Amino acid sequence: MVEEKFDAIVIGAGPSGLAAGYTMAKAGMNVIIFERGDYPGSKNVMGGVLYRDPTEELISGFWEEAPVERYIIQQDIWVLDDDSVITMGYQDNKFAKKPYNNFTVLRAKFDRWFAKKAEEAGALLITETVVEDLIYDDKRVVGVQTGRKDGEVKADVVILAEGVNSLIGEQAGLHPKIPPEHLAVAVKEVISLPRETIEARFNLNGDEGKTIELVGKATEGMMGTAFIYTNEKSLSVGVGALLSDMVDANMNPNDLLEELKSHPTVAKLLQGGETKEYLAHLIPEGGYHAIPELYRDGLMVVGDAAMLVNGYHREGSNLAMISGKLAGETAIEAKEAGDFSMDMLSSYKEKLDDSFIMKDMYKYKDASAFFATNPHFFEIYPKLANEALHELLVVDGKPKRQKQRKILEKVKDKRSYFGIAKDLFNAWRVMR
Amino acid sequence: MSEKMTLEDKLYLDRFKPDSESHLTVINRDFCVNECDEKPCTFICPARVYEWDEEEEIIKVAYEGCVECGTCRYGCPDNINWSNPRGGYGITYKFG
């Protein structure tokens, strides 16, 4: 389809692919970016929190012109039970001042903007085009096969940014088929509300925003979280849980979301809202041990396709963008050296190791496996905490010591003191 | 939210451009009948694309409403062939 040979091909116009494409194009490289959707972002979903600092490593001051929804000044954690909720929140008014800390975004809008930046830097963006396979010369990746007629395109280096459903990565043997224990399935709705209503309901001024992460009943005790994020004139409301847990529980993701929306405390926040879109996506949760091969002769893997997600801090887009940037910088060095061998591209992995990305991935390397096999944290403890507070706060003539005893009995009923001590110690061990 | 929306209502809000051929295929029909008791595809799919037809003993695949998350591919015990819809087809999110 395109006769000329490119310096670099990027597969996928999400945060990681666009970061790589933008970085390389800005340095004068001849870059082509393939996107299978109508436009960048049209197949992309996230909660959506976008972090300012890592995004500014690519485009300084981006938030002045990019389509961001609200800057976040308050982050809550809600521990949900059937009829109750324990709320914890942190509000920081420093986050209300420029340059802000993080933003809510909607991917279809933000990615489109980001892609435009890459195009302005000189990258060629080809949409509505599926990349079906890599092309090899012996063991070296030399291009891609697209779904178009005569769809071979050649380049010195290919950057694989195809996302979590990494069909090409699997086909190439970079990783085995991802097991359901290493994926979370998340669904969300974008629910429109007048901005004044959002501001009044969430105690916000102007463009200030708030995020709420919900655990416990929110996922019916499965490993995962739910979320409510404020956008400019809508809320992003969703829930995600480990796919293996969902399968075991015979749970439909949309049913789980409906359950969450009908919780009396949540329902009050959504009241009068009108759903505008229903979305679903997988999240790569395999962690450090599940990271695939990241480079080969003529190939680098970035973002979700590289399993680079830190679920414990709900970070993903920042790891995607920075991995894309580092791969882009490695490609620039490779072009200068005229060497796109595996040996040369191994410096991409070194850059990742030196950055927060691998340091954070390594820090939580055992956390996923631990929490997946210890459901108490998502099921028993949230419930016990709610029940304990209920007992403590109901004034019914019973003396407090009797109430305390009742609470402790309830706790002991569900989990031995030794079991709790063990859980806490182990949780500290995998999270420290 | 006033009243509960059905999944059909929600999917109606999304923009789809279905291709003439399915990008989702069940690989081995006999496996569904004889070996797959749970049939996770029938409940795990966020868009409920898959439905077990008791009479015909077959999984029906309404690929036109697929939101392309890939959940079925990983939730099914290896019996679904999943490929990306052709360029320009499938779901187009307005918000994301």
Side-chain angles (χ1 to χ4, degrees):
Chain A
M1 63 188 271
V2 200
E3 285 302 320
E4 96 193 86
K5 186 185 153 198
F6 291 85
D7 291 330
I9 295 169
V10 179
I11 306 174
S16 65
L18 290 171
Y22 176 78
T23 302
M24 293 184 292
K26 224 176 62 173
M29 281 176 74
N30 191 11
V31 179
I32 185 167
I33 305 172
F34 287 109
E35 164 56 41
R36 67 187 185 89
D38 275 5
Y39 49 82
S42 64
K43 308 276 188 187
N44 302 353
V45 184
M46 74 173 193
V49 175
L50 182 86
Y51 298 87
R52 196 251 323 151
D53 178 79
T55 313
E56 283 211 288
E57 280 199 33
L58 287 145
I59 301 177
S60 158
F62 73 94
W63 44 270
E64 307 223 53
E65 55 162 310
V68 295
E69 297 291 318
R70 288 174 179 272
Y71 53 84
I72 298 163
I73 63 152
Q74 176 156 352
Q75 312 197 168
D76 276 16
I77 293 177
W78 287 15
V79 183
L80 218 59
D81 198 12
D82 296 324
D83 274 318
S84 60
V85 57
I86 303 168
T87 66
M88 288 167 278
Y90 176 66
Q91 185 169 123
D92 193 334
N93 289 300
K94 282 196 231 41
F95 293 161
K97 296 193 182 88
K98 287 175 189 178
Y100 312 115
N101 182 47
N102 49 7
F103 305 89
T104 46
V105 299
L106 295 163
R107 281 251 77 91
K109 295 181 180 174
F110 185 85
D111 292 357
R112 224 170 173 174
W113 173 85
F114 193 17
K116 206 152 189 196
K117 286 290 168 194
E119 282 186 283
E120 282 167 17
L124 178 62
L125 172 71
I126 306 287
T127 56
E128 299 186 40
T129 304
V130 177
V131 171
E132 295 176 340
D133 208 351
L134 303 171
I135 300 173
Y136 297 87
D137 177 5
D138 195 20
K139 279 187 177 158
R140 207 166 81 83
V141 175
V142 294
V144 300
Q145 179 67 46
T146 72
R148 290 188 181 246
K149 195 165 170 282
D150 305 320
E152 267 193 27
V153 182
K154 299 272 180 75
D156 287 325
V157 65
V158 173
I159 294 186
L160 186 57
E162 62 178 336
V164 54
N165 190 10
S166 49
L167 303 175
I168 294 169
E170 192 183 313
Q171 218 162 270
L174 298 170
H175 60 79
K177 186 173 177 184
I178 304 171
E181 297 78 16
H182 288 176
L183 293 165
V185 48
V187 290
K188 113 172 169 176
E189 280 177 43
V190 176
I191 300 173
S192 85
L193 276 171
R195 63 176 303 155
E196 310 78 59
T197 309
I198 293 172
E199 282 147 30
R201 243 174 235 184
F202 290 83
N203 193 26
L204 303 166
N205 261 340
D207 291 332
E208 293 172 353
K210 173 172 171 172
T211 64
I212 306 171
E213 319 289 329
L214 306 94
V215 295
K217 166 76 182 168
T219 58
E220 298 285 350
M222 295 182 290
M223 181 178 169
T225 51
F227 58 88
I228 301 169
Y229 298 157
T230 57
N231 301 317
E232 189 193 349
K233 288 179 279 187
S234 65
L235 303 176
S236 288
V237 181
V239 58
L242 216 55
L243 178 53
S244 49
D245 280 4
M246 287 263 203
V247 170
D248 289 345
N250 276 38
M251 179 68 77
N252 173 259
N254 177 57
D255 290 347
L256 189 62
L257 178 56
E258 282 303 319
E259 197 59 36
L260 171 75
K261 283 165 60 191
S262 69
H263 188 282
T265 311
V266 174
K268 270 187 276 188
L269 293 178
L270 314 183
Q271 206 167 28
E274 188 190 345
T275 300
K276 292 290 183 189
E277 192 163 67
Y278 171 71
L279 314 91
H281 212 265
L282 289 171
I283 306 168
E285 298 279 8
Y288 185 80
H289 296 300
I291 294 173
E293 266 182 64
L294 293 171
Y295 58 92
R296 279 187 183 172
D297 288 325
L299 180 74
M300 286 181 274
V301 190
V302 295
D304 274 8
M307 200 48 90
L308 299 178
V309 164
N310 175 358
Y312 299 93
H313 291 262
R314 59 123 157 76
E315 290 180 27
S317 58
N318 53 333
L319 282 72
M321 285 187 179
I322 298 301
S323 65
K325 175 174 179 267
L326 296 177
E329 286 168 357
T330 306
I332 296 165
E333 291 161 13
K335 184 177 156 64
E336 277 165 9
D339 175 8
F340 293 91
S341 70
M342 198 168 162
D343 206 31
M344 181 74 201
L345 300 184
S346 69
S347 91
Y348 164 51
K349 173 73 175 20
E350 282 161 25
K351 291 185 184 80
L352 283 175
D353 287 340
D354 289 342
S355 76
F356 74 95
I357 295 180
M358 283 304 181
K359 292 194 174 112
D360 284 354
M361 293 298 291
Y362 187 77
K363 178 176 189 289
Y364 298 108
K365 66 186 189 312
D366 298 318
S368 296
F370 170 72
F371 285 110
T373 49
N374 285 271
H376 321 114
F377 289 93
F378 293 89
E379 195 179 354
I380 297 176
Y381 294 137
K383 193 162 197 67
L384 280 175
N386 272 276
E387 286 175 0
L389 281 171
H390 179 84
E391 189 62 41
L392 213 58
L393 294 175
V394 171
V395 175
D396 55 2
K398 279 187 217 140
K400 300 297 180 232
R401 198 173 292 278
Q402 189 186 331
K403 281 174 174 286
Q404 278 175 9
R405 213 175 299 129
K406 199 171 159 196
I407 292 168
L408 290 177
E409 269 163 25
K410 247 185 188 163
V411 171
K412 241 169 38 191
D413 218 32
K414 293 266 167 60
R415 192 107 177 104
S416 70
Y417 290 152
F418 178 70
I420 295 172
K422 209 174 71 178
D423 286 349
L424 290 177
F425 173 73
N426 284 330
W428 169 78
R429 203 172 46 88
V430 298
M431 298 293 283
R432 78 196 148 126
Chain B
M1 311 291 294
S2 42
E3 54 206 68
K4 236 181 184 174
M5 280 179 95
T6 65
L7 181 59
E8 288 70 29
D9 292 339
K10 292 188 194 182
L11 290 167
Y12 190 72
L13 301 169
D14 292 347
R15 200 165 94 208
F16 294 99
K17 188 177 161 196
D19 202 349
S20 50
E21 269 181 53
S22 178
H23 62 289
L24 311 168
T25 44
V26 175
I27 299 166
N28 180 354
R29 297 273 179 197
D30 293 339
F31 179 86
C32 306
V33 181
N34 302 321
E35 286 169 69
C36 191
D37 295 332
E38 292 291 327
K39 300 183 180 35
C41 63
T42 59
F43 60 83
I44 200 65
C45 168
R48 286 199 186 271
V49 160
Y50 300 87
E51 201 184 351
W52 174 245
D53 186 321
E54 198 69 58
E55 242 165 65
E56 292 184 44
E57 290 204 317
I58 196 172
I59 295 278
K60 297 231 158 126
V61 187
Y63 72 93
E64 298 89 343
C66 170
V67 293
E68 295 164 41
C69 60
T71 302
C72 60
R73 183 171 189 269
Y74 301 93
C76 165
D78 266 327
N79 199 28
I80 293 172
N81 189 16
W82 203 106
S83 57
N84 283 308
R86 279 193 301 158
Y89 288 95
I91 182 114
T92 297
Y93 287 125
K94 296 185 293 281
F95 296 96

